[in-house]
Amino acid sequence: MTAKAKKNDGILQLSIKDDMTIYNAEALKETLLGYCRPDTRELQLDLSAVAEIDSAGLQLLLLLKAEAQRRGFILRLLRHSEAVIEVFELLKLGMYFGDPIVIPANWKKS
Amino acid sequence: MSDISPALETFSQEVDELLTAMEDALLGLEAAPDDADCINSIFRAMHTIKGSSGLFGFDDIVSFTHQVETVLDKVRNGERSIDSELIAVLLACKDHTAQIVQHVLFNEDEPLPEELQQQSQMLIAGLTGQSAAAAGVPSTQEEKADHFEVDPNTTDSSDNWVISLAFKPDALRNGMDPLSFIRYLQTLGKIVEAIITMPELLNFEDVNPQSCYLSFKIIFNSGCDKKTIEDVFEFAEDDCNIHILPPNSRQEHYLQLLDNLPEDQVKRLGEMLVEIGALTEKEVMRTLHEQWDDANDEPKPLGEMLLEKNILQQPVIEQALKKQESVKQKVNKESNYIRVDAAKLGYLINLVGELVISGAAMRLMVDKHGLSDVDDVASTMSHLVEDIRDTALQLRMVQIGETFTRFQRVVHDVSKELGKQIQLQITGGESELDKTVVEKINDPLTHLVRNSLDHGIETPAERLRAGKPEKGTIQLNAYHDSGRIVIQISDDGKGLDPDRIFAKAVAKGLIKPDQMLSKSEIYHLIFEPGLSTKEEANNLSGRGVGMDVVKRNIEALRGTVSVDSELGQGTVVTIHLPLTLAIIDGFMVEAQKERYIIPLSMVEECVEMSSEEWQIDDVQHYVNLRGQVLPYLRLGDFFHKNKKHTHTQRESLVVVRFGEAKAGFVVDELHGENQTVIKPLGKLFENLNGIGGATVLGSGDVALILDVQGLIQYARKRVNPTLALSSGI
Amino acid sequence: MAKTIMIVDDSASMRQVVGIALKGAGYEVIEASDGKDALSKLTGVKIHLIVSDINMPVMDGISFVKEVKQLDQYKFTPIIMLTTEMEEDKKRAAKEAGAKAWVTKPFQPPILLAAIAKLVLP
C-alpha cells in the first residue's frame, strides 16, 4: 500500500508510506488523482515516511500542486522526511510549496 | 591505499589464472587455428589484465598488454590470420606479461628494468612489425586539461552562471535523474537559485509519471570553467538540451583572451570561441546542427544563432567577430601580393644601382662644367633616383614577424617532446629587412631557439625548485638600430655557466688554464668550433657543431652575434644584421690618393687629427678622444704597407663604431656622403683584409668599401691593453 | 541512506579495487562476476546504479543490460558501461540497449568515482 488516507469534512489526509521514485510513480499518481475530487477542499500529504524521492517523485508533487491550483483546493505538505528536505533545499522549493518545513532535531545535515 | 594489498593478491592470482588459460588456448589454436573460443579467451586474458593493471596504475603492464590486445582484436575480427609464428610470439608475450607483472608486484615503485623494456619492445615489434612508440600507448594518467582554473572561493557572489536544462521525456526512463546531476553540480559551486518550469496546461490526469516534463534554470556560482560544468551533464547529453551562459566576469576574461589570440590565420568564429573557452566543442556542434536543420531559409550565421540561443553574451560574440574581421583584413593584406620572380627583382635593383651611379656621374659633370641651369633639373632627378632606390629596396623588404611566428610551432612541438612548458613571446615582428637576409637568418635562428629550448629552459620541476614560474619564456625581439636590424633571442632559463665553459675550453685546448678572461670573453667561447656545453648530444642540438656555424652564417651576412647570460636567470643572444646586402649609404674618404667608402651607419663623427687637441700615441696607435681610449688606424699605411707615404698637413680622424667597439680611421680627405651599390669582389679578392666590396664611382673610378668590423678588430688588437690602462686614460 | 551500487565484472581484482574505492566514498556495494550472476542478485534489493563490464564470460554486458531493462524493479536504474576505445561499436550497442553512461578502460578509481557521482551521489 503506497498511501493511507483519512477523510474529514473535505479535508483529506494522506500518508505516503513508500519511496517516491519512478518505480512507483504510476501507482502514486493514480492514488493522488483519486484524491483530486470535486469536493476536495484541502489535501494534506504526510511525507514523513518518504525514504527516497527522485525527479519523478518531485515532478508528481509539482504537478499535484499545479493541479490543486487549477481545481482550487489547497495542497499542504506535512512532516517532510529527510530525503524530501534534501531535495527541497537543493532546488530552493520551500517557498514554492509554501508549507512550513519542520527540521527534526536529529537532522544530520543541518 | 594501504587496504589494497589483498586486492593485489587477488590481482596476482587472477593474472596467473588468465595466463594459464591463455597458454592452454594458444596451444589449442595450434590444432584448430580458427577456434573462436580459444581466440576469445586469449583476448580476454590480455583485456582483463590490462583493465585491472590500469586500476592499480601499473602503466608498464597496461602499455604492453594494450599492444597485444590490439593485435588480438584484429585476429578476432578476422583482419589478421593466426599462424604458428604468431602463436609463438603470443606465447612469448604471455611469459613476458607474467614477468612484468611479477616485477611490478614486488618492486612497485621502481621503473621497469632495461632488459624487460627492451623485451617488451621486441615482442611488440614481432607482433606488429612496428615499434612500440609508433603504435600509440594508452596511459592511465589523465591528460592534463588545458584550461585555466580559477579558485572557486574568489568569485563574486553576484556574478553567476546560468545553466538551462530542458530534459526530454525519456530522461527518467533512461536512468538520467535530473536531481542527480544537480546534486553533483552542487559539489562544484553554489546553487544560488533554481527555477523549475513545466509545460502549462498539463492535466494531472493525462501525465505519464515516468516521463519527464521538467526544465530547470539554475543560477550557479562557481569558479569552474565552462567545460567542467558541461562535463557534469556529460551523460545526460542525449536526454537533455543544455545551455550554459557564463557569468559577466567571464566575459571580461573572454574578451581579454580574444585580444591575445594570435593573428596568423583566419579562424572560424566557433573555433575562436572554443579556443578561449567561451564555448565548448559540443555547443558548437549542436548549434551547427541546428543551423542545418533550419535550412528552409538561408542558414543564419553562427554568431547570430549563438546570440539567439542565448549561449553567449553579445559583447563576446561581437568582439570575436571584430577580431575575426581584423585578422581577415590582415591576412587579406598579406595575400594582396603579386608574386614576382626574385631574379627579376634582383635585376631591377641592380639597374637601380647603375642608375644611382650614372646619376652621380651626371652630378659630377654638371658641377664640373658649371651648368647652373641644369643644376635644378639634376637635383630633381637625383631626388627621384633616391626615391626609386628606396622603393626598389622596399620591394625586397619583408617583415621579420613571419619568420618569428614559424617558431611558435617549433616551440610547441619541442617543448611537448621534452616535457617542458615553454611559451614564445614575439616582439618587433614588424621590423623589416631584406628578403635575402631573412632567408639566410632562418637557420641560425632555428639553431638558437632550439638551443634555448634544449639547454636554456629547465624542466617544470627544476624551475619550480629555482623559484621561477613553471612555464619558461623564450623571447624573439627585433628592432632597428642605426641602420641595422638587431635580433634578440632571450630565455629565462638556467643561463650559461662560465666556469663550465672555461673548463671545457681548457679541456679542448682552446685556452690555457691560467688565462684571465672576462665573463663576456668566456661566453664568447661558445662560438668556438667544437665547444658545446651539454655533455650528451640529443637529436635537436648540442652536437657541438652548432654555435660556430651560427656565428659563421651571421658573419657572412656582415652581421655579428654576441651572447650575454646570468647564471640561473637566462641567456640573451644578440644578432646585428645589415638591412640589405645590396646598397649602402656610404661615407667617402681618401687616403694616399685612394678612395674608400665607409658605411655611413657606422660613422660616429669626424674630427681633425691634431696632436694639440688629442693626445696621440703614435707607438701604441691610440688617441685620447675626450678621455676615451680610441685605437686608430692610418688607412694609407694599412693598405699600402710597403709604400713610402707622405703625411698631408691636415689629417682627419673618422670615428667608426661597430656594436660596442669603436676605432678611428686616419684619412687625408673627407668626401662626404654617397650612395653606393655594392659590387662583390671577385673570388680572387674575397679574402682581402679590411675590404668588404667595391663600388664604381660616377667618375668611373673604383672605390673600396671598408670592412669596418674587421678593421676595428685589427685596430683594437694592436693597442696593448695594459699600456692603455696604465696611462691612466 | 547510503546508495547501493552493483559492480559486474569478471575480474575479481577489478571488483575488489572498485569495491574498496566505492565503499571508501560511502556507497554500499554488491558484486557480480558476470551478467548471469548479476541478474540472479537483482531481486529484492534496492540498487541505485549498475557498473558493468562488456566483455564477460557466461553473459556479456550488452545482453545483461537488455535483461535489466526487462526487470520492472530495475529497468530505470542508470547503468555505466566499462568500455575500451576498441569497442566503439559495442558502446553504441550498449547505448541502444539502454546504458547511457560509460567509462573507458583502463581507468583509475577516481575517474570511475567521478562518473558515478554525476549519476548518484553517495
Side-chain angles (χ1 to χ4, degrees):
Chain A
M1 192 63 205
T2 36
K4 261 185 189 147
K6 272 194 261 173
K7 193 185 154 191
N8 180 17
D9 216 10
I11 298 177
L12 304 173
Q13 282 191 328
L14 182 65
S15 290
I16 297 176
K17 293 285 180 201
D18 202 348
D19 290 345
M20 298 184 72
T21 65
I22 186 166
Y23 289 107
N24 58 10
E26 253 166 356
L28 199 53
K29 179 208 152 188
E30 290 309 319
T31 310
L32 291 170
L33 189 63
Y35 286 85
C36 297
R37 293 193 299 248
D39 62 337
T40 304
R41 286 199 295 123
E42 185 171 324
L43 178 58
Q44 299 181 347
L45 283 189
D46 183 332
L47 302 175
S48 61
V50 177
E52 207 177 327
I53 178 165
D54 66 3
S55 293
L58 173 68
Q59 182 173 264
L60 271 181
L61 288 178
L62 291 166
L63 286 166
L64 184 62
K65 176 84 180 173
E67 182 73 8
Q69 278 166 354
R70 215 161 56 85
R71 286 177 181 255
F73 69 82
I74 298 165
L75 173 70
R76 273 194 213 290
L77 305 181
L78 306 172
R79 301 179 62 206
H80 308 66
S81 73
E82 250 179 51
V84 177
I85 293 175
E86 189 263 332
V87 170
F88 277 31
E89 296 259 289
L90 181 69
L91 296 172
K92 327 271 180 247
L93 281 170
M95 289 288 282
Y96 176 74
F97 285 102
D99 305 294
I101 296 175
V102 183
I103 296 175
N106 60 352
W107 173 232
K108 59 178 175 186
K109 280 190 187 167
S110 64
Chain B
M1 274 193 251
S2 57
D3 48 356
I4 202 157
S5 44
L8 278 175
E9 219 162 273
T10 315
F11 171 70
S12 163
Q13 276 173 18
E14 186 177 281
V15 169
D16 278 351
E17 282 165 22
L18 286 164
L19 288 179
T20 311
M22 179 173 171
E23 190 171 57
D24 291 347
L26 278 169
L27 297 173
L29 275 186
E30 298 230 284
D34 295 326
D35 190 330
D37 283 347
C38 286
I39 294 172
N40 244 331
S41 118
I42 299 165
F43 176 83
R44 186 172 310 121
M46 286 294 120
H47 175 83
T48 309
I49 292 172
K50 179 179 104 175
S52 307
S53 305
L55 211 52
F56 292 104
F58 297 154
D59 283 354
D60 290 319
I61 308 177
V62 171
S63 62
F64 179 71
T65 49
H66 170 75
Q67 310 265 3
V68 184
E69 189 195 357
T70 310
V71 172
L72 288 168
D73 191 49
K74 286 192 180 136
V75 172
R76 209 166 53 148
N77 297 337
E79 286 170 47
R80 185 164 172 176
S81 60
I82 201 149
D83 51 28
S84 58
E85 212 173 296
L86 185 57
I87 293 176
V89 181
L90 285 170
L91 278 170
C93 287
K94 177 238 136 197
D95 293 341
H96 182 65
T97 307
Q99 261 182 312
I100 40 181
V101 169
Q102 283 308 307
H103 173 86
V104 168
L105 283 176
F106 293 104
N107 315 280
E108 205 174 325
D109 294 323
E110 279 173 43
L112 217 52
E114 191 81 359
E115 51 175 293
L116 281 180
Q117 278 182 35
Q118 273 175 9
Q119 225 174 326
S120 291
Q121 277 167 12
M122 273 162 57
L123 285 169
I124 287 154
L127 275 176
T128 60
Q130 59 180 328
S131 70
V137 181
S139 162
T140 57
Q141 299 301 316
E142 214 184 343
E143 219 172 283
K144 202 169 176 263
D146 203 18
H147 19 79
F148 52 88
E149 275 160 35
V150 184
D151 184 355
N153 301 320
T154 58
T155 46
D156 182 358
S157 62
S158 64
D159 195 25
N160 301 313
W161 296 84
V162 179
I163 304 169
S164 308
L165 308 167
F167 283 89
K168 294 180 185 165
D170 276 340
L172 302 178
R173 280 186 285 268
N174 283 331
M176 299 296 120
D177 188 340
L179 285 176
S180 306
F181 298 111
I182 297 168
R183 277 194 196 103
Y184 186 77
L185 190 66
Q186 214 180 14
T187 64
L188 299 177
K190 188 171 174 289
I191 294 173
V192 180
E193 209 174 319
I195 300 158
I196 307 174
T197 47
M198 288 182 298
E200 266 179 73
L201 301 171
L202 201 60
N203 203 327
F204 192 65
E205 206 172 335
D206 302 333
V207 300
N208 178 345
Q210 287 173 355
S211 293
C212 189
Y213 303 94
L214 303 173
S215 293
F216 296 82
K217 188 167 263 184
I218 296 165
I219 316 295
F220 185 57
N221 190 300
S222 169
C224 290
D225 62 25
K226 198 168 191 176
K227 175 107 190 0
T228 309
I229 294 176
E230 192 189 60
D231 277 351
V232 171
F233 305 99
E234 183 187 358
F235 300 137
E237 221 167 74
D238 293 344
D239 294 303
C240 179
N241 289 321
I242 305 156
H243 288 301
I244 303 167
L245 189 65
N248 290 332
S249 65
R250 284 276 148 160
Q251 259 191 62
E252 302 273 310
H253 192 80
Y254 293 149
L255 292 180
Q256 207 184 335
L257 287 172
L258 270 176
D259 252 4
N260 294 340
L261 277 183
E263 300 198 330
D264 46 356
Q265 51 172 315
V266 185
K267 288 200 181 109
R268 292 195 286 188
L269 185 68
E271 287 175 323
M272 287 167 72
L273 292 169
V274 169
E275 201 168 322
I276 60 165
L279 216 57
T280 63
E281 258 167 64
K282 281 176 190 161
E283 285 173 328
V284 175
M285 292 314 291
R286 214 158 42 221
T287 315
L288 288 177
H289 260 289
E290 285 165 19
Q291 203 173 22
W292 283 109
D293 288 349
D294 298 349
N296 9 352
D297 311 309
E298 280 279 290
K300 281 183 195 157
L302 182 69
E304 218 170 286
M305 301 268 304
L306 290 174
L307 207 59
E308 211 170 83
K309 307 253 167 220
N310 208 17
I311 292 173
L312 213 55
Q313 289 98 330
Q314 190 162 358
V316 180
I317 297 174
E318 270 172 11
Q319 182 72 19
L321 285 170
K322 229 184 269 170
K323 175 86 179 182
Q324 194 185 28
E325 194 53 36
S326 90
V327 176
K328 234 184 234 167
Q329 270 174 8
K330 205 173 162 212
V331 173
N332 276 349
K333 215 164 84 192
E334 275 164 15
S335 60
N336 200 6
Y337 285 144
I338 302 172
R339 296 171 76 90
V340 178
D341 186 353
K344 282 186 189 166
L345 202 58
Y347 184 60
L348 174 68
I349 286 172
N350 216 2
L351 279 182
V352 171
E354 300 295 335
L355 187 62
V356 170
I357 293 169
S358 57
M362 194 178 72
R363 182 88 244 161
L364 213 69
M365 288 302 169
V366 170
D367 289 351
K368 190 172 163 189
H369 296 287
L371 303 169
S372 55
D373 47 345
V374 186
D375 201 52
D376 279 356
V377 185
S379 292
T380 315
M381 209 183 84
S382 56
H383 272 125
L384 285 173
V385 168
E386 238 171 77
D387 284 352
I388 292 176
R389 180 204 63 162
D390 288 347
T391 318
L393 282 182
Q394 275 298 319
L395 291 179
R396 273 218 309 218
M397 290 295 210
V398 291
Q399 295 192 348
I400 198 164
E402 206 179 309
T403 309
F404 279 2
T405 39
R406 252 182 255 156
F407 288 107
Q408 291 282 17
R409 183 65 197 271
V410 176
V411 170
H412 176 262
D413 290 357
V414 175
S415 58
K416 205 162 214 183
E417 193 175 310
L418 298 172
K420 296 177 181 179
Q421 293 183 27
I422 303 171
Q423 59 175 343
L424 180 66
Q425 275 176 7
I426 291 173
T427 44
E430 68 287 347
S431 309
E432 288 189 327
L433 72 169
D434 197 304
K435 187 162 168 53
T436 48
V437 183
V438 168
E439 278 162 5
K440 287 176 181 154
I441 196 64
N442 199 34
D443 277 359
L445 268 186
T446 307
H447 203 96
L448 291 170
V449 169
R450 292 201 152 174
N451 254 334
S452 281
L453 287 168
D454 285 341
H455 312 314
I457 306 282
E458 314 88 328
T459 60
E462 282 169 341
R463 291 184 64 85
L464 287 177
R465 236 177 290 134
K468 298 195 219 180
E470 209 174 348
K471 201 169 202 172
T473 304
I474 293 179
Q475 205 171 17
L476 284 173
N477 183 27
Y479 57 93
H480 286 228
D481 177 43
S482 53
R484 296 170 78 81
I485 189 167
V486 181
I487 300 171
Q488 282 183 319
I489 303 100
S490 47
D491 65 61
D492 63 349
K494 56 177 167 252
L496 297 171
D497 184 346
D499 296 339
R500 273 185 65 196
I501 298 171
F502 190 89
K504 200 133 200 184
V506 170
K508 295 260 175 201
L510 295 169
I511 50 168
K512 295 194 182 71
D514 53 353
Q515 220 161 327
M516 292 296 291
L517 292 175
S518 72
K519 220 166 149 189
S520 72
E521 281 170 316
I522 293 176
Y523 289 146
H524 206 75
L525 285 171
I526 65 166
F527 294 112
E528 292 298 322
L531 202 111
S532 173
T533 53
K534 185 111 183 169
E535 310 285 334
E536 292 161 33
N538 66 11
N539 60 344
L540 293 173
S541 58
R543 265 176 240 90
V545 291
M547 291 304 262
D548 59 316
V549 175
V550 168
K551 189 185 178 205
R552 253 207 327 271
N553 286 345
I554 289 167
E555 283 179 348
L557 296 169
R558 287 190 284 123
T560 53
V561 56
S562 63
V563 61
D564 192 20
S565 182
E566 194 65 52
L567 190 58
Q569 302 292 313
T571 307
V572 185
V573 178
T574 308
I575 299 171
H576 287 255
L577 284 174
L579 293 181
T580 174
L581 304 174
I583 297 184
I584 50 170
D585 272 321
F587 186 77
M588 188 153 59
V589 297
E590 189 173 325
Q592 298 292 313
K593 302 271 182 278
E594 208 63 75
R595 291 191 178 202
Y596 302 99
I597 309 269
I598 304 168
L600 188 64
S601 58
M602 297 182 181
V603 176
E604 283 267 295
E605 61 176 326
C606 300
V607 296
E608 204 178 316
M609 184 74 170
S610 80
S611 37
E612 287 119 56
E613 211 170 324
W614 321 115
Q615 301 163 16
I616 301 176
D617 187 324
D618 240 338
V619 185
Q620 297 295 333
H621 300 285
Y622 65 83
V623 295
N624 175 2
L625 184 70
R626 293 186 288 266
Q628 208 181 6
V629 177
L630 186 76
Y632 73 84
L633 196 69
R634 278 177 203 283
L635 287 184
D637 293 359
F638 181 81
F639 288 111
H640 298 278
K641 290 205 174 83
N642 304 325
K643 207 160 117 186
K644 281 244 167 185
H645 49 265
T646 48
H647 287 277
T648 46
Q649 289 303 306
R650 290 179 55 191
E651 286 178 315
S652 296
L653 182 72
V654 182
V655 181
V656 291
R657 179 179 76 98
F658 183 79
E660 299 301 306
K662 280 185 188 180
F665 294 157
V666 179
V667 298
D668 297 338
E669 236 179 291
L670 305 172
H671 285 288
E673 291 175 32
N674 136 306
Q675 294 170 4
T676 302
V677 182
I678 301 176
K679 299 270 179 189
L681 292 170
K683 280 268 174 219
L684 204 55
F685 306 108
E686 221 170 38
N687 296 321
L688 272 187
N689 273 341
I691 306 287
T695 187
V696 183
L697 299 177
S699 59
D701 292 338
V702 169
L704 297 173
I705 299 168
L706 297 182
D707 166 19
V708 175
Q709 183 191 358
L711 288 172
I712 291 178
Q713 268 171 15
Y714 174 80
R716 289 177 73 87
K717 248 183 236 163
R718 243 183 12 177
V719 176
N720 185 332
T722 46
L723 233 163
L725 283 172
S726 63
S727 64
I729 36 175
Chain C
M1 197 185 71
K3 302 285 193 284
T4 307
I5 311 245
M6 170 179 260
I7 159 102
V8 190
D9 199 309
D10 55 325
S11 158
S13 65
M14 174 73 88
R15 293 198 304 271
Q16 205 162 349
V17 175
V18 171
I20 290 166
L22 288 177
K23 282 173 195 154
Y27 296 100
E28 308 246 337
V29 179
I30 293 175
E31 292 180 21
S33 60
D34 60 69
K36 201 160 187 181
D37 183 28
L39 285 175
S40 74
K41 287 174 179 163
L42 285 178
T43 45
V45 282
K46 202 180 263 185
I47 290 188
H48 296 87
L49 183 133
I50 297 168
V51 179
S52 173
D53 193 16
I54 287 189
N55 199 305
M56 291 180 294
V58 189
M59 182 190 279
D60 68 53
I62 293 167
S63 314
F64 168 62
V65 172
K66 287 181 182 158
E67 292 289 331
V68 171
K69 289 286 154 189
Q70 302 303 316
L71 299 174
D72 272 350
Q73 290 309 302
Y74 299 96
K75 61 181 174 191
F76 303 127
T77 310
I79 303 173
I80 295 181
M81 296 306 288
L82 302 178
T83 63
T84 70
E85 69 277 9
M86 263 183 285
E87 297 174 317
E88 273 304 318
D89 50 332
K90 294 210 173 153
K91 187 159 140 184
R92 221 171 306 123
K95 234 174 153 175
E96 273 161 29
K100 298 291 172 182
W102 55 91
V103 169
T104 307
K105 277 206 220 178
F107 58 84
Q108 284 192 288
I111 311 268
L112 179 64
L113 277 181
I116 291 176
K118 288 174 190 171
L119 297 169
V120 176
L121 272 183

